[in-house]
Amino acid sequence: MMYKIIIAAFSLSFVVACSKRGFERAPVVDSQFSFSMVEKVVEISPRVPGTEKSGEFVRFLAEECSKYTASVTVDSFEDKTPVGTVLFQNVVAEIKGENDDEFIVVGSHFDTKIIAGIEIFSGANDGASSTGLLLAMMKAIKESAEIPPVTIRFVFFDGEECYDRYSKTDGLYGSRYYAETLSKSGELSDCKAVIILDMVGDKNLLLGLPGDTDPFLAKLAFSSAKHNNSLSHIAATKTIILDDHKPFQSKGVPCINLIDFDYGPNNVYWHTSYDSIDKISPDSLKIAGDLALGIIWAID
């Protein structure tokens, strides 16, 4: 994430009359399980790309994903960074839907930023919260009697954080690579939407939809929140966020970024040692997860 501007007032005009059947069918997240998964992610820290600790986490992540789907791929690649060539590893877990001709990407980054003076930065909210939540969303789907309306690719991105400053060649390594891979393979045309979750564990949760959010996905998000009685936790913003949705958005894929980029007073916890597990709320994780699952089930 790069920067934030101003949060605009929420408008009821964003709420649309979507199919209630879609929202009612959507699985719901177990808040305590979500939190337990975030705890496990935090235990394996720091998750700096190319390090032994990152490799340990990728192995844990692939094993955990395999509990909820038979299709798990670790996609390793090298890319040039300001500190030299680094090995990155995306983890992709696919759940088949009723419509298998198209798919939705649901993504989170798991890597942590290198921060001077902090030996072990856990990124409890910035990376771990959304990563643990995606695992809980997968578990919720498996345990429900519902088949997703469309195939879902849960993609855990490596290398979202930049080494120096965000640019076309620094930061978003995993998402840039995956978007380009889909483009080269011809699969990008089958990608119906991209839903990115990031920084979703804050106890004072307010998901601010960036100003360039796809309008239809924004409407679904507000409708999902209305169905789940969580409208107070979502707002339209004028914010422009540089995050893992951008490589897909630049290629014409409809995108939504569910992010609370107001972490602590004046965002003081972001990229500091204060970004720790005690700042994470199981209730916030559930709100974000249920909202995202509602979008998926209503998207058709």
Side-chain angles (χ1 to χ4, degrees), residues 28-31 34 133 200 281-291:
V28 294
V29 164
D30 181 327
S31 61
S34 299
L133 179 55
V200 293
S281 164
D283 292 339
S284 295
L285 295 170
K286 179 174 176 57
I287 288 166
D290 289 351
L291 193 154

Side-chain angles (χ1 to χ4, degrees), residues 172-202:
L172 311 184
Y173 293 95
S175 53
R176 285 192 285 114
Y177 173 82
Y178 192 64
E180 190 59 31
T181 297
L182 293 181
S183 181
K184 288 179 178 178
S185 69
E187 288 184 287
L188 194 66
S189 60
D190 298 326
C191 184
K192 193 176 183 70
V194 171
I195 302 171
I196 298 296
L197 293 92
D198 198 355
M199 298 178 70
V200 293
D202 190 354

Side-chain angles (χ1 to χ4, degrees), residues 18-163:
C18 298
S19 168
K20 279 190 174 182
R21 182 169 175 264
F23 294 129
E24 290 172 352
R25 288 179 56 193
V28 294
V29 164
D30 181 327
S31 61
Q32 291 303 319
F33 179 79
S34 299
F35 185 75
S36 72
M37 287 294 99
V38 177
E39 286 183 311
K40 288 187 177 182
V41 177
V42 166
E43 286 173 6
I44 309 176
S45 297
R47 300 174 299 281
V48 176
T51 63
E52 183 177 341
K53 208 69 171 177
S54 179
E56 177 187 344
F57 178 73
V58 167
R59 290 189 292 273
F60 158 78
L61 186 57
E63 182 178 348
E64 195 65 32
C65 287
S66 68
K67 297 177 182 178
Y68 315 119
T69 176
S71 175
V72 181
T73 303
V74 176
D75 194 357
S76 302
F77 64 98
E78 291 185 338
D79 204 346
K80 294 180 180 178
T81 78
V83 299
T85 300
V86 172
L87 174 69
F88 297 94
Q89 295 180 290
N90 290 339
V91 178
V92 183
E94 185 174 270
I95 296 178
K96 296 293 186 182
E98 293 175 353
N99 175 7
D100 193 28
D101 295 327
E102 296 178 305
F103 62 92
I104 295 172
V105 169
V106 180
S108 163
H109 81 92
F110 62 81
D111 62 301
T112 52
K113 189 172 179 63
I114 301 172
I115 302 176
I118 304 178
E119 183 178 353
I120 300 178
F121 175 58
S122 66
N125 196 31
D126 189 5
S129 66
S130 51
T131 299
L133 179 55
L134 258 61
L135 290 170
M137 290 167 63
M138 293 173 65
K139 181 175 183 284
I141 293 171
K142 181 178 181 179
E143 292 181 349
S144 75
E146 295 292 337
I147 298 174
V150 64
T151 291
I152 309 170
R153 292 187 186 178
F154 287 91
V155 186
F156 300 83
F157 295 115
D158 199 359
E160 184 268 350
E161 303 286 5
C162 65
Y163 288 86

Side-chain angles (χ1 to χ4, degrees), residues 130-293:
S130 51
T131 299
L133 179 55
L134 258 61
L135 290 170
M137 290 167 63
M138 293 173 65
K139 181 175 183 284
I141 293 171
K142 181 178 181 179
E143 292 181 349
S144 75
E146 295 292 337
I147 298 174
V150 64
T151 291
I152 309 170
R153 292 187 186 178
F154 287 91
V155 186
F156 300 83
F157 295 115
D158 199 359
E160 184 268 350
E161 303 286 5
C162 65
Y163 288 86
D164 183 14
R165 63 180 61 186
Y166 284 99
S167 68
K168 292 182 179 180
T169 57
D170 190 11
L172 311 184
Y173 293 95
S175 53
R176 285 192 285 114
Y177 173 82
Y178 192 64
E180 190 59 31
T181 297
L182 293 181
S183 181
K184 288 179 178 178
S185 69
E187 288 184 287
L188 194 66
S189 60
D190 298 326
C191 184
K192 193 176 183 70
V194 171
I195 302 171
I196 298 296
L197 293 92
D198 198 355
M199 298 178 70
V200 293
D202 190 354
K203 291 180 179 179
N204 186 27
L205 184 70
L206 180 61
L207 299 171
L209 301 188
D212 56 358
T213 301
D214 177 79
F216 178 64
L217 292 176
K219 291 176 180 179
L220 288 183
F222 279 102
S223 295
S224 181
K226 182 180 181 181
H227 176 78
N228 292 318
N229 298 313
S230 59
L231 277 174
S232 61
H233 296 282
I234 186 171
T237 81
K238 294 180 180 178
T239 306
I240 299 299
I241 295 287
L242 188 60
D243 207 347
D244 281 321
H245 65 293
K246 279 296 185 181
F248 302 93
Q249 191 178 62
S250 68
K251 294 181 181 295
V253 180
C255 295
I256 186 169
N257 185 21
L258 300 175
I259 183 171
D260 179 356
F261 197 47
D262 191 13
Y263 186 31
N266 299 314
N267 207 31
V268 70
Y269 299 156
W270 180 58
H271 284 177
T272 71
S273 59
Y274 291 104
D275 185 4
S276 49
I277 192 66
D278 59 295
K279 310 297 191 305
I280 304 303
S281 164
D283 292 339
S284 295
L285 295 170
K286 179 174 176 57
I287 288 166
D290 289 351
L291 193 154
L293 287 167

